[in-house]
Amino acid sequence: AVAGMGFLVLLGLMATGFTGWFFRDPQRTPPDVNGAVLSPADGKIIKVEQLDSSPHYPERCNRVSIFMSVLNVHVNRIPFDGTISGIQYNPGKFFSANLDKASLENEYNAVTLTTGRGKRICFVQIAGLIARRIICNLTVGDRVKKGERFGMICFGSRVDVFLPERARVQVETG
């Protein structure tokens, strides 16, 4: 009976270790680059495109999609200084976050930030196949700083960033 318990104990320790590692929250210092919009998430760029409009951005814009695997840090950070001018939560499905349909059909939380110059940036936390919990610690009217933590998505997910059409996107797929 003791030998069987050893395997269960080892399995329990491994699960506990993975969970602790997954929820890590390293200290980050945002680069001091004037006008730069930071990625709100760690991960891999899976799409960069221009859109005529989006439900999250009602005019021509650039969208950058970042896929977070279970190996990435899942704490999300503010991409630019400004004021939170809108938050829209949508319960939804749980397709794999790297699929196009995940953007609008999955559970998501869209946050709109207005910069000091009146420009809008929208960042959307999108739950994935395994991710079943979106955490967002913002409210409309909050003044925020680039690099501050604002929430997380648990266990694999995606964040889409919508930028004004004239924004110069300096990242590419991959």
Side-chain angles (χ1 to χ4, degrees):
V2 173
M5 292 298 289
F7 174 74
L8 291 176
V9 168
L10 179 61
L11 191 61
L13 287 173
M14 288 173 52
T16 300
F18 174 77
T19 301
W21 174 80
F22 178 84
F23 287 101
R24 66 199 183 281
D25 184 8
Q27 185 63 34
R28 301 268 170 86
T29 302
D32 188 20
V33 179
N34 190 28
V37 176
L38 299 181
S39 173
D42 288 11
K44 181 177 182 178
I45 304 292
I46 59 170
K47 185 172 276 200
V48 177
E49 64 185 340
Q50 281 199 333
L51 302 172
D52 288 330
S53 68
S54 159
H56 306 301
Y57 208 97
E59 56 198 51
R60 288 187 58 80
C61 62
N62 294 293
R63 176 172 73 171
V64 177
S65 298
I66 306 140
F67 177 72
M68 297 179 287
S69 78
V70 295
L71 302 177
N72 294 114
V73 171
H74 279 62
V75 173
N76 301 140
R77 297 172 188 271
I78 299 293
F80 204 85
D81 295 349
T83 302
I84 302 304
S85 53
I87 298 174
Q88 177 190 3
Y89 172 76
N90 182 64
K93 299 176 182 166
F94 297 99
F95 294 114
S96 181
N98 60 343
L99 299 175
D100 280 343
K101 65 182 175 180
S103 288
L104 294 176
E105 294 186 37
N106 280 16
E107 175 181 357
Y108 66 78
N109 191 60
V111 178
T112 302
L113 178 148
T114 302
T115 70
R117 293 183 164 190
K119 301 290 183 187
R120 274 193 327 269
I121 298 171
C122 182
F123 40 104
V124 185
Q125 298 170 291
I126 303 166
L129 183 65
I130 300 170
R132 300 294 171 130
R133 179 149 167 88
I134 294 175
I135 299 167
C136 179
N137 300 316
L138 297 171
T139 57
V140 172
D142 286 352
R143 295 200 44 76
V144 294
K145 295 282 185 192
K146 184 186 322 187
E148 289 178 341
R149 296 167 181 92
F150 76 88
M152 74 181 304
I153 315 168
C154 302
F155 297 113
S157 44
R158 171 177 170 172
V159 175
D160 285 351
V161 181
F162 295 86
L163 302 165
E165 176 184 20
R166 295 188 63 196
R168 189 168 38 120
V169 178
Q170 295 183 307
V171 296
E172 57 188 47
T173 302

